[in-house]
Amino acid sequence: MQFFSTDQAAIRWLQLFALLLCVVISLSTEAAPLERSKQQIIVGGDHYHPPYEFIDENGEPAGYNVELTRAIAEVMGINVRIELGEWSEMRKRFVDGQIDVLQGMSYSDERAKVFDFSPPHAIVHQSIFARRGDPTVDVSGLKDKEVIVQSGDIMEDYLIEHQVGARLMPVDTHADALRLLASGKGDYALVANLPALYLTRQLGLTNIVPVARPFSLSYSYAVRNGQSDLLAQFSEGLAILKNTGRYQEIYDEWLGPLKEDGGIAWKLIGQVGAAVSGTLLLVLGSIVIWNRTLQREVDSRSKALREHQQQLIQADKMASLGVLVSGVAHEINNPSSLLLLNLPVLQEAYADCLDILDAHYREHGDFMLGGLEYSRMRDEIPLMLDEMLEGSHRIKRIVGDLKDFSRHGSTDLTEIPDFNAVVVTAIRLVDNSIRNATWHFEVDYGADLPALRGNAQRIEQVVINLIVNACQALENQQQGIFLRTYSDTDKMGQPQVILEVRDQGCGMDPDVMGRLTDPFFTTKRESGGTGLGLSVSAGIVHEHQGQLTFDSRVGEGTTVRLALPALKPARQTD
């Protein structure tokens, strides 16, 4: 038997130790980036600055800024901890490096020397508040006046930097500033407009009012100079939220309901609409009960009489619905007409001012306009006005469709629309429904489709109804929807333009398919379905002398085929 010497055993132990050391170093090297990727980012903000950021009744951070930060953290996969406190203290901790990011900070040139800012996620208007009956002033009129401001706020910085000459009275929060002014202390308060309006309503401060709105400032995420990687994460996350529509949802949830006095009474309109809807539901419920009673009484009568009676009932329902639609359309049409009347005037006014603004820009350099540099706003304002005008035209078109639906009349079927363009527009209008319903949506547009004659808006309405029905048929987002446009000929050899909408949803049994186009028939009654979509679509297709066919099997999905007659190509002569 051969034994190893003591030296040989030591060498083998050293080799084993070196191997283990290499493994540990390798694992540590691989784990380091992962550990760094999970490093917590501390985001700070004001503890009482509603609706932007505040601590709720449960002691948790809440508000527009907080929800926006959490959404950015989710889409970017970063770990954040939100801390709210007195604004002046949070700014000090931010400067000292104890806080990484401030989630809501107004931009100024002086602040930009110390901090870096993301693209703005809101525009904050600053207001001068006074007690009722006190004289109206602008910023220059604050000289020698006692002005209440929040400590560390942008307005305190502004008054100091520009040497306005006001006697400043710093307080911890906007609420403290407004309470102090309402109690008779100080001459004016210079605070952010939206939080101030929010707080005056919440605190019941009825003796103070805004008398001027001298500033509009960009409201952004801020980091200390040099932290470009950290700022890039929040800027990229904000861009993703804006492109996906999540930013607009958060903005509408927190800032949309807060309107200044004198605005459109949407809440009142909503209450009136709810009352009308309740009355309509009561009428419809009474009609349904009466219908069932009537059917039991006339069971002995002929089938033709029962069918005739059913037609009368459905006609009565359609008449009731038409009255409601016409009323709501009229209410919407009034503010829409105001926008359509005034927006072109604003476009012309801006165009007339452009030469003067450009001359000022060339002579004096860049300047602030609406809270942003003129060099940027010069191109942004026309785009904003165009988008607003386009949206107003869309509202007017929808209102027109509602009015057309609620009354009988002649329909212009003499247009020659681009069928593919109609489908593109319809998809754009229901894009949100598609994204919520499926991760698999595909469209195959046929090339060189023959022309057809009809009404583009009505065809678009049919396409929208077919896509929405396909979305509602899906049971999960893994199932898909597939659209295809192409041309074919019917049994008589006549050319047709065809849209095929195929879904991988639940499918239908033959009994349901036979009643799809009946007025008020729906399988989605519990979730708010009215049964009007396919009925109206079938009527529109019939007006265009087309066909709407369905092929479905339970558990295998549904295929809907919309076929419209195409124009015959003109004969070419030699």
Side-chain angles (χ1 to χ4, degrees), residues 255-459:
L255 306 184
L258 298 171
K259 304 294 183 185
E260 295 188 39
D261 295 337
I264 299 172
W266 291 112
K267 183 176 181 180
L268 178 61
I269 293 175
Q271 291 173 343
V272 173
V276 174
S277 300
T279 304
L280 178 63
L281 289 175
L282 180 62
V283 172
L284 292 176
S286 301
I287 292 175
V288 171
I289 295 173
W290 173 70
N291 179 35
R292 292 178 179 176
T293 303
L294 182 61
Q295 285 181 342
R296 285 195 296 268
E297 292 176 356
V298 299
D299 281 341
S300 60
R301 299 186 181 184
S302 66
K303 181 179 179 180
L305 182 60
R306 289 197 301 270
E307 291 178 352
H308 178 66
Q309 183 64 43
Q310 184 66 22
Q311 291 174 357
L312 291 176
I313 295 170
Q314 300 298 345
D316 187 57
K317 289 180 179 179
M318 293 294 288
S320 300
L321 182 63
V323 173
L324 176 64
V325 168
S326 180
V328 173
H330 177 72
E331 292 294 340
I332 296 174
N333 203 37
N334 288 337
S336 175
S337 299
L338 184 63
L339 291 173
L340 290 171
L341 179 64
N342 290 336
L343 282 172
V345 177
L346 291 177
Q347 287 178 319
E348 292 181 7
Y350 178 72
D352 292 342
C353 295
L354 200 55
D355 290 340
I356 300 173
L357 293 173
D358 284 343
H360 184 80
Y361 174 70
R362 289 191 299 269
E363 182 177 350
H364 300 284
D366 214 346
F367 58 93
M368 302 302 290
L369 182 65
L372 295 174
E373 294 85 356
Y374 172 70
S375 57
R376 177 177 174 183
M377 291 296 285
R378 187 187 190 281
D379 297 325
E380 292 290 338
I381 290 177
L383 294 176
M384 284 189 255
L385 292 174
D386 289 342
E387 289 174 355
M388 292 165 64
L389 188 58
E390 180 183 352
S392 301
H393 280 296
R394 180 174 294 177
I395 293 173
K396 185 175 181 63
R397 189 184 71 184
I398 293 172
V399 169
D401 287 342
L402 287 173
K403 288 184 175 180
D404 290 341
F405 174 73
S406 65
R407 65 170 180 261
H408 295 289
S410 60
T411 302
D412 182 12
L413 303 178
T414 60
E415 302 175 17
I416 303 181
D418 183 332
F419 190 64
N420 281 340
V422 170
V423 175
V424 169
T425 302
I427 292 173
R428 186 169 61 250
L429 290 175
V430 295
D431 176 70
N432 189 59
S433 297
I434 294 171
R435 287 189 285 106
N436 290 334
T438 179
W439 294 332
H440 306 285
F441 182 79
E442 298 179 6
V443 186
D444 180 14
Y445 295 104
D448 300 325
L449 295 181
L452 59 90
R453 192 184 303 277
N455 186 290
Q457 291 185 2
R458 289 189 171 274
I459 297 173

Side-chain angles (χ1 to χ4, degrees), residues 508-540:
M508 297 175 288
D509 59 43
D511 292 340
V512 172
M513 288 181 60
R515 302 178 60 194
L516 284 178
T517 57
D518 290 350
F520 293 94
F521 173 77
T522 177
T523 59
K524 302 288 184 180
R525 187 78 64 190
E526 294 78 7
S527 58
T530 62
L532 290 172
L534 287 178
S535 175
V536 172
S537 297
I540 294 173

Side-chain angles (χ1 to χ4, degrees), residues 35 37 96 125-126 143 201 224 293 301 313 373 377 408 434 553 557 561:
E35 186 65 27
S37 69
D96 293 342
H125 302 284
Q126 306 291 333
K143 184 178 181 181
R201 297 175 188 177
R224 293 181 296 279
T293 303
R301 299 186 181 184
I313 295 170
E373 294 85 356
M377 291 296 285
H408 295 289
I434 294 171
R553 293 175 180 81
R561 188 171 178 269

Side-chain angles (χ1 to χ4, degrees), residues 37-44 61 65-83 100-101 103 221 230 233-234:
S37 69
K38 294 183 178 179
Q39 183 178 1
Q40 192 173 64
I41 299 172
I42 301 177
V43 180
N65 292 350
V66 172
E67 188 166 347
L68 192 64
T69 296
R70 287 170 176 164
I72 290 174
E74 180 181 349
V75 299
M76 295 301 296
I78 56 180
N79 182 16
V80 301
R81 185 173 84 245
I82 299 175
E83 296 184 4
D100 301 308
V101 181
Q103 61 185 1
Y221 285 92
L230 179 59
Q233 293 186 75
F234 281 82

